[in-house]
Amino acid sequence: MNNHRALKKNALGFSIVELLVVLGIIALLSAISLPYIVNFKKLYKSEDQALKVMDLMREANQLALTRRRTVRLEIDLTDNAVLLIDENGSGPDTLLKKIPLEPTNEVRYDVIPQSVTKPIPPNYTDISFSVDSVGHTIGSTTTIGHSVWVGRFRSDGSMVNNINVPINGNIYFWPPVTPGSLTPRNLKEVRAVTVFGGSGAIRYWRHNGTTFVPYQ
């Protein structure tokens, strides 16, 4: 008889009070951890964006080598996106991929922030954006007039400009303290990517609060 009562008691499961206590603990832990998760994600947005652009540069380089023709990478400030475009030799350009970037009020990439010196080598110029007169085709529609920076990866491994001259450059990714500001929110959140035009090689830099250091 006693065994029957014990089994019946165990079969009842958790009480309402016990369930409410567990739900309360879960809610409390969520309330404590959520701000940390949000701040952590916000802290690394510039790094995520820099790595995304680097990956697309490597993809453009690899496609140029395997397809034996020029693949163009455009950072489109107007559309706030990175584009991979197959120039198809003498044929019409083909848009291969278009990847959106973070809003510029959260991550800027158009200029070097204030209070930041260039990474090594300091003589390399920073990328600049200009009005695109070449454009690209999406279906039957040609898009021109956007503010873009262009790097053309060739089948020999080099990266050149629109007149086939190898170019080097630094690209910076950083969160402004306020939208449109030239002051970074935190120097340690500033990232830089250096592109070596002659070889198509890419170098990644992180700011330690004082200077840029190469990231391995």
Side-chain angles (χ1 to χ4, degrees), residues 3-214:
N3 289 338
H4 178 72
R5 288 179 179 175
L7 290 173
K8 186 176 180 180
K9 184 178 180 180
N10 290 336
L12 294 176
F14 296 104
S15 68
I16 296 297
V17 173
E18 289 171 328
L19 289 174
L20 289 176
V21 170
V22 171
L23 291 175
I25 293 173
I26 292 173
L28 179 62
L29 292 176
S30 298
I32 294 173
S33 61
L34 188 59
Y36 290 98
I37 294 172
V38 172
N39 289 334
F40 181 84
K41 185 176 180 182
K42 188 175 182 180
L43 178 65
Y44 285 95
K45 276 190 175 182
S46 56
E47 181 158 303
D48 288 343
Q49 185 141 299
L51 294 174
K52 181 186 296 184
V53 172
M54 286 175 60
D55 286 342
L56 289 169
M57 286 179 173
R58 292 190 177 107
E59 183 176 350
N61 194 8
Q62 188 62 36
L63 285 171
L65 292 172
T66 56
R67 297 187 179 191
R68 305 302 301 168
R69 56 178 180 262
T70 301
V71 174
R72 188 165 78 247
L73 181 139
E74 293 185 0
I75 300 180
D76 190 325
L77 192 59
T78 304
D79 277 354
N80 197 36
V82 182
L83 289 72
L84 290 187
I85 301 166
D86 190 335
E87 295 191 354
N88 288 320
S90 59
D93 293 349
T94 301
L95 178 64
L96 302 174
K97 187 178 291 187
K98 182 176 182 178
I99 304 297
L101 296 175
E102 295 286 347
T104 52
N105 65 328
E106 295 185 20
V107 179
R108 292 193 68 171
Y109 52 87
D110 53 333
V111 294
I112 184 173
Q114 289 179 343
S115 305
V116 169
T117 56
K118 294 183 180 183
I120 299 170
N123 57 312
Y124 280 14
T125 58
D126 302 331
I127 69 166
S128 60
F129 291 81
S130 58
V131 176
D132 180 17
S133 59
V134 177
H136 58 271
T137 301
I138 303 177
S140 59
T141 303
T142 300
T143 301
I144 61 172
H146 285 196
S147 179
V148 301
W149 174 81
V150 175
R152 301 172 63 241
F153 290 85
R154 298 195 302 183
S155 59
D156 62 359
S158 64
M159 187 190 73
V160 299
N161 59 16
N162 286 329
I163 56 174
N164 292 319
V165 175
I167 54 174
N168 306 308
N170 299 313
I171 310 172
Y172 305 92
F173 302 89
W174 53 280
V177 64
T178 56
S181 172
L182 288 174
T183 302
R185 182 178 60 212
N186 185 336
L187 285 174
K188 291 185 177 180
E189 295 179 63
V190 180
R191 303 291 183 265
V193 175
T194 298
V195 189
F196 301 87
S199 63
I202 302 166
R203 191 93 183 258
Y204 181 45
W205 311 84
R206 299 175 71 177
H207 207 284
N208 62 9
T210 304
T211 186
F212 279 107
V213 293

